[in-house]
Amino acid sequence: MKFENLGYKHDSGITTITIDRPKKLNALNQATIQELHEAFKEAEDDSNTKVIIITGSGEKAFVAGADISEFADYSVVQGEQLAAKGQAKLFDFVAHLSTPVIAVVNGFALGGGLELAMSAHFRIASDNAKMGLPEVSLGVIPGYGGTQRLPQLVGKGRAMEMIMTAGMIDAAQALEYGLVNHVTSQEEVMDLALKIAGKIMKNSSVAVGAAISSINAGFEEGENGFETEITEFGKCFGTADFKEGTSAFLEKRKPKFPGQ
């Protein structure tokens, strides 16, 4: 599949999706959101993809925000539909993929860009990264899950301050807050992501997907994370991965999981 606004590369079990609108600092317009949905779906459906990396092209930005010109004259109803469709098509979709998603935040991740990074299962940042949700400075609020995911990651008080001040934090502060897992130089950030992806790929992709589902359930309204964990734990016993993993442990050898 070819994309106008994205780069898509698969290599050795890792699919890298690169938002490629450098003149717009990789801002998310509706066409790019649609392409991202299609790219993530293609990667999720590909049994050869064990890890997905999402990043932005160039050295300035991961995603500098949404393309405001597209919705500046929207009505109340249109605004609500914009948020609902965007969350369903991309942000919630990414968060609930069974394939692990790593966001490599290289530069600015603002508004919808930070919301996309927060939809990933975890984040790695370059030391020049700047992150924030500036929507209230435009008379609106984050609409792609930002008011929900930011408090989950950094705590209610810090999220309140970040959103209400519309300010940016740097990579070091994002690391201190727990918004990102690692910070390194821009030259090394992709190598670090690939190294972590390699560690993930040594494990059972079936079990990793079950873990993602269980962890997500603990943050979902009306879901009981413990019950989901029990169910997913039980399902693992019926998989070829479980048989291989336990056999390898008992035989004192490294496991060779199906599809590896």
Side-chain angles (χ1 to χ4, degrees):
M1 187 178 292
K2 290 188 177 182
F3 302 101
E4 289 186 13
N5 301 306
L6 307 177
Y8 187 97
K9 181 180 74 172
H10 179 84
D11 184 35
S12 303
I14 301 170
T15 293
T16 302
I17 301 169
T18 305
I19 301 165
D20 189 19
R21 301 184 73 215
K23 291 181 180 179
K24 295 283 189 178
L25 294 180
N26 301 325
L28 294 179
N29 60 3
Q30 293 305 299
T32 304
I33 287 175
Q34 179 61 40
E35 286 194 359
L36 280 166
H37 171 81
E38 292 167 4
F40 276 108
K41 187 175 189 307
E42 183 173 331
E44 171 83 347
D45 292 343
D46 181 2
S47 61
N48 293 315
T49 295
K50 305 302 179 184
V51 177
I52 302 169
I53 292 174
I54 175 70
T55 192
S57 66
E59 299 180 351
K60 293 182 178 180
F62 171 72
V63 174
D67 197 332
I68 296 165
S69 62
E70 283 195 331
F71 55 80
D73 59 352
Y74 271 21
S75 67
V76 170
V77 172
Q78 288 173 312
E80 188 172 334
Q81 289 175 343
L82 179 72
K85 289 178 180 178
Q87 288 189 29
K89 187 179 292 183
L90 181 59
F91 301 87
D92 287 349
F93 183 76
V94 169
H96 291 92
L97 293 178
S98 62
T99 307
V101 180
I102 305 172
V104 174
V105 181
N106 50 327
F108 290 107
L110 304 175
L114 181 55
E115 289 173 303
L116 177 59
M118 291 192 294
S119 296
H121 298 128
F122 59 92
R123 289 141 295 283
I124 300 169
S126 58
D127 52 16
N128 70 323
K130 295 280 183 13
M131 289 161 250
L133 295 174
E135 284 86 348
V136 297
S137 69
L138 302 174
V140 71
I141 67 169
Y144 288 145
T147 65
Q148 305 305 300
R149 291 193 175 95
L150 188 61
Q152 291 171 3
L153 291 165
V154 307
K156 182 180 177 181
R158 282 172 170 162
M160 286 280 195
E161 181 180 353
M162 284 181 65
I163 291 171
M164 286 192 286
T165 62
M168 291 186 292
I169 61 172
D170 61 20
Q173 201 166 6
L175 182 64
E176 179 190 345
Y177 280 10
L179 184 53
V180 301
N181 289 27
H182 304 277
V183 174
T184 188
S185 68
Q186 194 157 38
E187 294 76 22
E188 298 172 324
V189 69
M190 187 57 74
D191 288 339
L192 178 57
L194 293 172
K195 181 179 179 182
I196 295 172
K199 290 181 179 180
I200 293 171
M201 290 193 296
K202 291 179 181 177
N203 303 312
S204 161
S205 58
V206 174
V208 167
I212 291 170
S213 177
S214 300
I215 294 167
N216 278 339
F219 293 93
E220 297 291 335
E221 187 71 29
E223 293 286 332
N224 186 314
F226 291 99
E227 289 181 0
T228 301
E229 180 185 277
I230 290 167
T231 300
E232 294 292 344
F233 179 78
K235 287 180 181 177
C236 289
F237 281 70
T239 67
D241 286 43
F242 176 76
K243 292 180 175 62
E244 169 59 16
T246 52
S247 296
F249 178 82
L250 296 171
E251 295 166 11
K252 295 183 169 61
R253 61 177 175 82
K254 292 183 177 180
K256 180 69 175 175
F257 293 110
Q260 288 183 339

